[in-house]
Amino acid sequence: MLAGGAARGAYEVGVVEYVLQDVARALKRPLKFDILCGTSVGALNACGLAAYAHLGGDSVRQMREVWHALKLDDLVRTDVRSVLSMGSRLLGRTGSGEVPAREGGLLDPTGLERLVGNAIPFELIGSNLEKGHIDAVTVSTTHVQSGKTVVFVQRRERGLPAWSADPTIEPRAASIRVEHALASAAIPILFRSVLIDGEFHCDGGLRQNVPLSPARRLGADAVLVINPRYVPTTPLDEGDDEVENELPGPLFLLGKTLNALLLDRIDTDLARLESVNKILEAGTKAYGSDFVAKLNKAMGHKPGKGLRPMKAMLVRSSQNIGMLASEFVRKSKIASSGLTGRLIRRLAAEGAQNESDLLSYLLFEGSFAKELIDLGREDARARHDELCEFFEELG
């Protein structure tokens, strides 16, 4: 399960690479993921891994090469028309009968659309499902009009699995295409929404940054969650008073707004999952091996459905990727020109460390992606024994 974070998504590739190569080597057998669930940039990675799943352990190499080839000037350009259109509409200056431009983003998505369309052979997802290389893929978006999370599901058995009613989530069977992935990655404020079958969709991370629910409903017995979001452990009362006095600037607020919009509830979800696991384990010890089946029957679930134990392991960034982005720009002296270059250098300037969150979302640059991939590998290596135990128990 792959979470969001725009340019931070390269981190996920490093973790997956370590699992499919180093953990597989340690266990002396190939490893594969049966179900791939992604939100935001995680949806792009999930679709790429699904499209290249027939390559086995080498599937992640294709994604590494895509991330390594990123060029900032190709992907981060100000969408002048959209910005002007938004300004005109705020001032009530749209002409009579004029249809406003599709707006909602500060950045022109053309480069990203071209990259994703060329780099990921979406037509191979269906082929890999039919051949059994994977069982299912999901991409989560936010339906703009209603605010609901839409989970687009493509699986080998076709159609949708049993899905308990949830007024905030709508599952849809689909042949996942480039627009599904782009919509899931369309972060509000930065990128404009994407039209799918006549409806506008944007980043799925607004409500579901880590898609635990779809994985469970698709039959997962265990989940590996990869999240490029760093969570500091420093208590609030140990903050830097000098830094506190500098807050809040507009770019700082924009970065924190994006963090808030994409704030996942993974720790809460995993804690709830662990509580359910403990209850089922205790019930089985106390009342016998058929406890779970009897409980599900009493709750009205059909045989094979309902509650069941599900293992979970979380690998999360050990470093503040925002600060890494700031340091990278200052050291590498990125030669990006125009508004993009000025913005990137402004966000990375000495004294602007508080605005590095926004910078880390925008830094679609191959050499920075390499650093994040290497960080993902290192974080996975630090959990090597745990990862080996996790996959060994799955058989």
Side-chain angles (χ1 to χ4, degrees):
M1 301 190 335
L2 305 170
R8 306 178 188 188
Y11 174 87
E12 300 171 348
V13 175
V15 177
V16 173
E17 183 178 58
Y18 188 86
V19 168
L20 294 182
Q21 295 179 1
D22 296 72
V23 175
R25 189 181 304 116
L27 296 179
K28 298 180 180 180
R29 62 182 175 87
L31 297 177
K32 77 181 186 75
F33 297 103
D34 301 308
I35 300 169
L36 293 162
C37 300
T39 295
S40 195
V41 74
L44 302 182
N45 285 333
C47 289
L49 292 170
Y52 292 113
H54 59 286
L55 299 178
D58 286 337
S59 60
V60 72
R61 183 180 303 170
Q62 301 293 326
M63 297 307 298
R64 171 188 269 271
E65 291 177 358
V66 171
W67 280 96
H68 280 184
L70 297 183
K71 298 295 183 184
L72 185 65
D73 279 342
D74 293 339
L75 300 177
V76 182
R77 296 180 179 176
T78 304
D79 192 338
V80 178
R81 183 167 181 262
S82 179
V83 172
L84 292 176
S85 176
M86 283 190 285
S88 295
R89 294 189 70 190
L90 285 172
L91 296 173
R93 293 179 180 173
T94 51
S96 177
E98 178 184 348
V99 178
R102 180 166 65 91
E103 60 188 38
L106 300 176
L107 303 179
D108 184 347
T110 305
L112 181 62
E113 291 170 356
R114 186 184 307 113
L115 171 71
V116 174
N118 292 335
I120 301 176
F122 285 85
E123 69 278 3
L124 292 183
I125 294 178
S127 172
N128 284 330
L129 286 165
E130 291 177 5
K131 294 177 180 178
H133 296 303
I134 48 176
D135 292 336
V137 183
T138 75
V139 168
S140 298
T141 70
T142 299
H143 181 244
V144 173
Q145 186 177 38
S146 67
K148 288 186 176 182
T149 295
V150 178
V151 181
F152 293 98
V153 180
Q154 185 172 358
R155 62 180 190 148
R156 189 172 11 155
E157 297 177 5
R158 303 186 185 280
L160 291 171
W163 208 287
S164 56
D166 184 333
T168 68
I169 298 176
E170 180 175 313
R172 295 183 185 178
S175 293
I176 293 174
R177 309 183 300 271
V178 63
E179 52 263 42
H180 295 101
L182 289 170
S184 186
I187 299 176
I189 304 174
L190 293 186
F191 295 106
R192 60 198 185 205
S193 56
V194 176
L195 198 62
I196 300 176
D197 300 329
E199 300 172 338
F200 284 113
H201 293 254
C202 65
D203 197 303
L206 300 187
R207 286 184 178 271
Q208 189 187 74
N209 196 31
V210 179
L212 271 174
S213 177
R216 181 173 62 82
R217 288 180 168 87
L218 285 165
D221 296 313
V223 290
L224 175 64
V225 181
I226 306 173
N227 193 347
R229 181 174 173 80
Y230 168 76
V231 177
T233 56
T234 305
L236 291 178
D237 58 3
E238 294 183 14
D240 188 325
D241 292 338
E242 183 177 344
V243 171
E244 188 74 29
N245 291 333
E246 297 175 0
L247 307 181
L251 295 178
F252 167 83
L253 289 176
L254 180 54
K256 293 304 180 185
T257 297
L258 292 175
N259 281 347
L261 287 174
L262 300 175
L263 181 63
D264 62 281
R265 294 154 295 280
I266 185 58
D267 293 307
T268 301
D269 289 346
L270 289 176
R272 186 182 299 114
L273 176 61
E274 182 62 23
S275 294
V276 172
N277 286 340
K278 288 181 178 179
I279 290 171
L280 297 181
E281 182 181 359
T284 299
K285 288 181 179 179
Y287 301 107
S289 59
D290 60 349
F291 168 77
V292 175
K294 287 182 176 179
L295 179 63
N296 283 324
K297 183 178 180 180
M299 295 173 67
H301 295 299
K302 296 180 180 179
K305 305 296 181 182
L307 297 174
R308 68 180 188 283
M310 187 171 77
K311 292 183 58 178
M313 180 171 179
L314 170 65
V315 178
R316 165 181 273 151
S317 177
S318 62
Q319 297 188 43
N320 185 328
I321 292 179
M323 299 303 293
L324 292 179
S326 182
E327 292 171 9
F328 172 84
V329 173
R330 291 201 301 272
K331 290 179 180 177
S332 64
K333 298 180 180 179
I334 285 180
S336 181
S337 58
L339 289 174
T340 295
R342 289 199 293 273
L343 175 61
I344 293 298
R345 287 187 287 274
R346 163 69 180 83
L347 293 174
E350 290 288 350
Q353 291 92 337
N354 299 317
E355 294 158 0
S356 59
D357 282 323
L358 176 58
L359 176 63
S360 69
Y361 283 102
L362 300 177
L363 198 53
F364 288 98
E365 180 65 35
S367 47
F368 179 61
K370 182 180 184 303
E371 286 193 9
L372 295 190
I373 291 172
D374 291 343
L375 174 62
R377 286 189 60 86
E378 287 303 313
D379 284 350
R381 181 176 288 111
R383 310 280 299 279
H384 178 84
D385 291 342
E386 293 174 76
L387 284 166
C388 287
E389 182 180 355
F390 179 80
F391 283 96
E392 193 167 26
E393 289 181 0
L394 299 178

